[in-house]
Amino acid sequence: MAELSSLADLGAAKPAAAAAPVHVQKLDKSGRAYATGKRKDAIARVWVKPGSGKIVVNEKDFNSYFARPVLQMILKQPIIAANRDGQFDIIATVTGGGLSGQAGAVRHGISKALTYYEPGLRSVLKKGGFLTRDSRTVERKKYGKAKARRSFQFSKR
């Protein structure tokens, strides 16, 4: 950086352009990308590797683990958005929460792992909103209330 001796030099000095963060491929020894996805109280650990498109959740096929078609669709969204259907094998272990939260956690984990495996997919997945952790959780119960916000029934006497 050039030496500045007066305020006039400060106005003429051009700030160094901040370089955009470079996203590089992050793989383990087995050639897999790993990511953690979260949603509500569910936490999913996801591994992505090249393969035939098999998705395994908690050692079960994802169709049997997530029986509802809506949850299966949620799980496949990042793969379809990235146009990589049938190209990656995905292994996930998920704990906590209910099925809906677990499906969201696995979706988040798949999205992050895909960007670690193929950094070029980041812009597509970011535009789709798959990389953002949905921070909405259940509101805690407060004292003096029946539930988080519901009051006890009012009675005049």
Side-chain angles (χ1 to χ4, degrees):
M1 189 168 157
E3 285 292 318
L4 301 174
S5 57
S6 69
L7 288 175
D9 292 345
L10 184 63
K14 298 229 186 321
V22 179
H23 298 285
V24 293
Q25 192 179 43
K26 295 179 191 168
L27 301 178
D28 62 6
K29 294 176 194 128
S30 308
R32 303 176 301 182
Y34 168 79
T36 307
K38 295 180 180 180
R39 168 93 168 84
K40 293 187 176 180
D41 278 340
I43 299 169
R45 300 185 304 160
V46 180
W47 289 269
V48 170
K49 63 181 180 183
S52 58
K54 191 174 168 195
I55 302 174
V56 177
V57 179
N58 288 356
E59 298 176 1
K60 285 185 179 180
D61 183 53
F62 86 104
N63 290 320
S64 60
Y65 191 84
F66 296 112
R68 282 185 277 163
V70 173
L71 300 179
Q72 295 170 14
M73 179 207 66
I74 286 171
L75 210 73
K76 300 272 280 188
Q77 278 177 333
I79 303 161
I80 293 166
N83 204 15
R84 296 288 184 272
D85 201 14
Q87 294 181 24
F88 290 106
D89 283 346
I90 296 165
I91 299 162
T93 56
V94 62
T95 57
L99 283 177
S100 174
Q102 287 187 350
V106 173
R107 179 180 92 160
H108 186 225
I110 289 172
S111 306
K112 281 172 64 176
L114 280 174
T115 60
Y116 293 152
Y117 194 88
E118 223 177 299
L121 296 176
R122 186 174 170 80
S123 61
V124 175
L125 294 171
K126 187 94 171 144
K127 278 192 186 92
F130 300 119
L131 296 177
T132 307
R133 194 260 202 242
D134 190 349
S135 60
R136 296 175 297 170
T137 56
V138 178
E139 191 175 344
R140 77 170 194 87
K141 184 197 175 299
K142 280 78 169 185
Y143 56 86
K145 296 278 187 180
K147 290 162 60 176
R149 297 187 180 198
R150 192 196 183 311
S151 299
F152 295 111
Q153 184 171 346
F154 176 75
S155 171
K156 211 173 219 180
R157 354 186 135 69

